[in-house]
């Protein structure tokens, strides 16, 4: 199976659009003919983890479910491409056993022993390389940890208590006055406060790390959201590593997502259609118990008692809602989130770079890199991240991507980039960006708006999750929340 | 609503069996008459969190479910009694947002802002009192933390890496050779290894803490299981506090458990009968697709396609299985777990003891105590824990329980015990002990046995959970696992 999404590049084949993916669904629909299907209990728009979870929970609950997905695959912003049996993660990757919704599902599917570590500090160049435009310094990983820890603790120590007072309970639906204030500050504001406290190396590390997390620029990203991540990660640097970049699926994210889809399908309650972007969601007047009509861009129309809209904030405007969304929701969609992460995988000759981590900033296009695996050919697999800062389009400028990887290694290293694999999230019309990271004030002004239902339409997306907002965990939580809300809303109304 | 379980005592009323409980279910059954109900898809035996989760997930999944529970209430070993509007937790109490299954449910039910902290170090006697038979020492809570941290880190440092090498992945279904070895050691074995390294105060603290966790004696409890708890708690003392004794439900555990029951009931798929202890579970031969017959002690008999047995290990022998359980399961049930925790709540005059924590060991009946709340009357609420070490029956010896609380406070304090509330778990024929804590070798020999199905009967209990074994979290995980297994097992078999 293959998806039209994603790109791969090798010297011999050049750039190719579309990559293998076990999350690409065949056949693309199990709807035979519109007329056969009648009404659905719930129509779910979007097959990212929020939509998939909603589809699964609703199917299990005996609801007649229709899933409409714009792409040819499940997973939304989290999907993997298996190339020669080796998974490259195109978006959301890492999971951890203290991420509640993710782990609940991993345990439920008995996948608890299917994780592996991205890091392997036992091979080849076992160093942390810290480069700016002037020079490259080399450190041990122990020195890297010490430097990052000190630097990040200065950043989050807004309260003299390492952020524990500022964000005491990262799963709350409420934001305190202090939290609202931090949300109106940018990362640049906070770093500017610390300008006399951070050493030059600490400042490099902090700026690169928060750009890794936000995919934005320092001037456009909320300080609060980073404090919230820090709180979710147990207020420790070790926590950041464990939760954010350490454990991934041996079989790739799509090996996890497909479990949700298959479980839903096995109930017999799921109809689905891929490659069916939705154009409009209308609430129908005068139908007892309520009804919605969902129209695809291709002009097909489906009726349901309820709808769950599980598309990202940045593409909510792709859908025409009737009646129109609340002013708060529209304002949130219009502001959008600011993550324009550029994530690129490279297979590079030999294992010598397997154990490297690197920051190249502020001059470089790929700011943060780490060894992420060893390919079947025995080469090192490096994953690298760029942001809105120095943003570029790797599909338009492969040479720049290759160069960015070359810049990773010490000059004397003979580095040959054999393969690139990536997804251009910024040009993806169904995402318009990577994982959610808010501009200042968006959460303060609109978190509740984003979470609110709109008549018979419910909204499920990691972008407005409590807790692990922006993460796969938050997406699963939101999908479950939406189905609880739909079930409650349908109780007592006439059934089909 | 009230349960026959539990005891309360006041000077004026004396000892009374039975306490108010919102988890006591009225009416006690919704079965009108045996003959009306026919076969069930699944019969769940036991309404602790594992059974409740199984009942809920199966009901939602459209299975015809029968719940049989021996008691008059839900919750099993986790339930609360609301007395004058104030909850006392009779068993399992604390939850944390990194406990995956618990938090998934809390978020799903929108209860994320219904927690409160047990500790409040801002009132009255704000001290840690450390007593042995000879003397009482008083420390600040900061000193308590430092002492406990140093002492426990010595205990878990079996690998020179604070247990991280010994138990690298606490959610795995596999135990390494090292883990098997630690499981064959007792806590006493390990403490004996440290006899020259622990100061007298550290030794007091370590022994009291592991008895708090195990409810056993040092000689009867597995070292591995404590290392496993430590790993689950992120290998830190702060983690132990956060996960184990910090956050509880404002409305009590039964306010959480009832959500599962009500959700199941709302599906219309649940029949239930309380006060119906089960005597036997038989697999019926020759029924296509499989069938089981469940007999109650009262002589009623129900047929189901599958059964989920969600009773604790220590009472598995209460049920006669036909055909008999595997030798491994029988051996595990016969060995049992070793937790005979004695948990007693006291309301004591005035708020002066609200902020106290205390260890009284090895001479005292209640080893570990902490301020747990302020009652509506403005008095301090203290919760205290005993173990198999110096075990006693508070319902048989109220004076000893009162004395044990008196021993908490400095001699010059005027302490008046106004009320006691407790459940005697050791004498409870449906529990025969508190939360699971294994003797040496039980997990090494029988973890897989305990988790295995037996024909058409599936076993769900926190006692053999991976990850948060012994905790509410593990119970919920097990209930979900059982329903996934039952659903898989029923796929392709003839429906009712």
């Amino acid at each position: 199976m293959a998806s039209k999404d994603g790109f791969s590049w090798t010297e011999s084949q050049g750039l190719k659009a579309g990559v293998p993916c076990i999350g690409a669904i065949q056949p693309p629909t199990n709807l035979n003919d519109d007329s056969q299907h009648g009404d659905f209990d719930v129509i779910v728009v979007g097959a990212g983890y929020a939509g998939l979870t909603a589809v699964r929970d609703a199917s299990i609950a005996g609801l007649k479910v229709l899933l409409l997905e714009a792409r040819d695959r499940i997973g939304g912003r989290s999907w993997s491409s298996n190339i020669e049996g080796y998974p490259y993660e195109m978006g959301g990757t890492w999971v951890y056993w203290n991420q509640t919704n993710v782990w609940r599902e991993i345990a439920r599917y008995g996948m608890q022993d299917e994780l592996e570590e991205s890091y392997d500090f036992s091979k080849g160049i076992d160093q942390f390389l810290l480069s700016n435009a002037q020079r490259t310094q080399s450190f041990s990983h122990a020195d890297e940890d010490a430097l990052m820890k000190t630097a990040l603790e200065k950043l989050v120590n807004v309260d003299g208590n390492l952020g524990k007072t500022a964000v005491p309970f990262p799963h709350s639906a409420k934001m305190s006055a202090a939290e609202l204030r931090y949300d109106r500050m940018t990362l640049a504001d906070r770093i500017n406060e610390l300008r006399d406290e951070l050493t030059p190396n600490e400042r490099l590390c902090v700026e690169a790390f928060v750009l890794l997390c936000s995919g934005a620029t320092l001037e456009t990203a909320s300080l609060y959201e980073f404090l919230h991540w820090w709180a979710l990660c147990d207020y420790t640097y070790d926590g950041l590593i464990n939760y954010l970049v350490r454990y991934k699926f041996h079989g790739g994210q799509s090996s996890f997502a497909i479990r949700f889809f298959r479980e839903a399908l096995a109930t017999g309650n799921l109809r689905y259609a891929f490659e069916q972007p939705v154009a409009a969601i209308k609430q129908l007047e005068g139908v007892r118990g309520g009804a919605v009509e969902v129209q695809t861009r291709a002009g097909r129309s489906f009726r349901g008692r309820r709808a769950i809209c599980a598309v990202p904030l940045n593409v909510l405007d792709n859908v025409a809602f009737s009646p129109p969304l609340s002013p708060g929701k529209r304002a949130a969609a219009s502001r959008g989130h600011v993550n324009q992460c550029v994530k690129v995988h490279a297979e590079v000759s030999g294992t010598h770079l397997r154990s490297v981590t690197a920051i190249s900033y502020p001059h470089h296009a790929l700011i943060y890199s780490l060894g992420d695996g060893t390919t079947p050919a025995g080469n090192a697999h490096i994953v690298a991240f760029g942001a809105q800062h120095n943003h570029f389009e790797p599909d338009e400028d492969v040479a720049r991507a290759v160069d960015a990887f070359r810049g990773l290694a010490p000059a004397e290293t003979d580095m040959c980039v054999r393969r690139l694999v990536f997804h251009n999230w910024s040009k993806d019309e169904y995402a318009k960006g990577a994982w959610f990271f808010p501009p200042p004030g968006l959460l303060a002004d609109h978190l509740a708006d984003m979470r609110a239902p709109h008549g018979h339409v419910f909204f499920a997306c990691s972008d407005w999750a409590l807790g692990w907002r922006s993460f796969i965990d938050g997406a699963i939580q939101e999908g479950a929340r939406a189905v609880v809300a739909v079930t409650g809303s349908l109780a007592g109304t006439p059934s089909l």
Side-chain angles (χ1 to χ4, degrees), chain A:
Chain A
M1 287 162 295
S3 172
K4 294 172 185 165
D5 279 355
F7 293 93
S8 68
W9 171 90
T10 61
E11 184 91 40
S12 59
Q13 300 200 317
L15 186 71
K16 280 175 56 181
V19 294
C21 179
I22 59 173
I25 303 299
Q26 285 297 334
T29 184
N30 65 352
L31 288 167
N32 298 317
D33 175 315
D34 293 1
S35 62
Q36 289 186 345
H37 300 287
D39 284 4
F40 294 91
D41 288 310
V42 61
I43 300 176
V44 178
V45 179
Y49 274 105
L52 278 180
T53 304
V55 158
R56 185 202 58 176
D57 285 8
S59 298
I60 290 175
L63 300 182
K64 228 178 123 182
V65 180
L66 173 65
L67 167 65
L68 295 173
E69 164 58 49
R71 311 176 186 279
D72 57 9
R73 61 169 182 81
I74 58 172
R77 288 172 285 178
S78 297
W79 68 292
S80 51
S81 174
N82 282 63
I83 296 180
E84 296 166 9
Y86 181 88
Y88 294 90
E89 296 287 359
M90 313 302 280
T93 303
W94 291 285
V95 297
Y96 190 58
W97 49 86
N98 288 345
Q99 288 176 326
T100 62
N101 298 282
V102 159
W103 199 259
R104 186 260 184 185
E105 301 301 337
I106 289 173
R108 189 168 169 280
Y109 289 128
M111 297 175 76
Q112 68 278 340
D113 286 304
E114 296 186 25
L115 299 186
E116 63 183 33
E117 291 195 46
S118 277
Y119 292 120
D120 178 356
F121 292 160
S122 69
K123 292 194 167 67
I125 300 179
D126 181 20
Q127 290 170 359
F128 167 55
L129 305 174
L130 180 59
S131 309
N132 61 11
Q134 287 73 47
R135 61 171 181 157
T136 294
Q137 306 167 74
S138 170
F139 297 91
S140 70
H141 291 300
D143 288 342
E144 173 188 14
D145 287 346
L147 178 58
M148 293 296 309
K149 178 174 188 288
T150 308
L152 288 167
E153 287 186 352
K154 287 182 182 177
L155 182 76
V156 300
N157 198 23
V158 292
D159 52 6
N161 191 24
L162 292 175
K164 293 178 190 175
T165 306
V167 185
F169 178 39
H171 291 266
S172 179
K174 305 167 191 164
M175 289 173 78
S176 68
E179 289 173 316
L180 295 171
R181 196 168 65 244
Y182 296 127
D183 189 49
R184 298 200 188 278
M185 287 176 69
T186 65
L187 290 165
D189 293 336
R190 175 61 185 158
I191 290 168
N192 188 47
E193 286 181 351
L194 296 171
R195 61 190 176 279
D196 298 330
E197 293 175 46
L198 293 167
T199 67
N201 277 350
E202 286 171 355
R203 183 152 178 167
L204 271 182
C205 287
V206 157
E207 294 192 357
F209 194 87
V210 299
L211 289 174
L212 170 68
C213 295
S214 68
T217 66
L218 301 175
E219 293 73 22
T220 53
S222 159
L223 169 63
Y224 168 75
E225 192 72 340
F226 186 78
L227 296 174
H228 187 244
W229 282 37
W230 174 259
L232 288 166
C233 295
D234 303 330
Y235 310 93
T236 62
Y237 172 70
D238 277 0
L240 286 179
I241 298 302
N242 284 338
Y243 285 83
L244 303 185
V245 287
R246 187 165 209 145
Y247 298 96
K248 58 179 186 172
F249 286 100
H250 182 73
Q253 271 293 341
S254 295
S255 73
F256 182 44
I258 197 73
R259 305 294 285 263
F260 292 67
F261 186 74
R262 286 193 191 135
E263 188 178 5
L265 210 52
T267 64
N269 294 323
L270 174 62
R271 294 292 172 272
Y272 65 83
F274 286 81
E275 302 194 80
Q276 290 293 334
V278 163
I281 302 179
K282 294 183 186 180
Q283 315 220 18
L284 303 178
E285 301 287 331
V287 180
R288 200 170 143 239
V292 296
E293 184 178 279
V294 179
Q295 295 175 339
T296 68
R297 283 194 202 162
R300 294 174 78 178
S301 179
F302 300 93
R303 255 173 78 131
R305 297 163 76 201
R306 299 292 182 269
I308 293 174
C309 181
V311 308
L313 179 67
N314 281 8
V315 295
L316 205 53
D317 279 343
N318 287 0
V319 180
F321 287 89
S322 157
L325 295 178
S326 70
K329 255 197 217 303
R330 276 184 287 155
S334 153
R335 280 159 81 172
H337 77 74
V338 291
N339 186 334
Q340 297 298 331
C341 169
V342 178
K343 181 181 186 183
V344 186
H345 297 279
E347 178 175 2
V348 302
S349 298
T351 57
H352 55 294
L353 286 169
R354 173 68 184 91
S355 300
V356 84
T357 57
I359 287 175
S360 297
Y361 174 81
H363 58 303
H364 228 205
L366 294 174
I367 297 169
Y368 216 106
S369 317
L370 60 129
D372 195 17
T374 302
T375 68
N379 293 317
H381 159 210
I382 314 278
V383 60
F385 294 86
Q388 184 61 35
H389 172 93
N390 284 349
H391 193 265
F392 81 115
E393 316 285 350
D395 50 318
E396 294 177 12
D397 198 350
V398 169
R400 189 167 176 194
V402 171
D403 272 352
F405 278 98
R406 288 224 185 88
L408 267 181
E412 67 279 13
T413 310
D414 175 29
M415 185 198 221
C416 176
V417 176
R418 300 276 177 157
R419 187 196 307 275
L420 298 178
V421 188
F422 58 90
H423 183 122
N424 186 329
W425 293 104
S426 296
K427 284 167 75 179
D428 181 330
E429 71 168 305
Y430 306 121
K432 293 187 181 167
W435 63 93
F436 176 90
F437 208 95
L442 177 65
L443 294 172
D445 293 339
H446 296 304
L447 178 57
D449 291 330
M450 292 189 279
R451 293 174 60 76
H454 174 63
H456 298 306
V457 184
F458 298 81
F459 292 82
C461 184
S462 184
D463 295 13
W464 44 82
L466 307 178
W468 289 98
R469 179 169 50 247
S470 315
F471 290 81
I472 295 164
D473 189 88
I476 297 172
Q477 185 172 63
E478 278 287 297
R481 179 176 80 102
V483 174
V484 168
V486 164
T487 308
S489 159
L490 289 175
T493 65
S495 61
L496 291 179

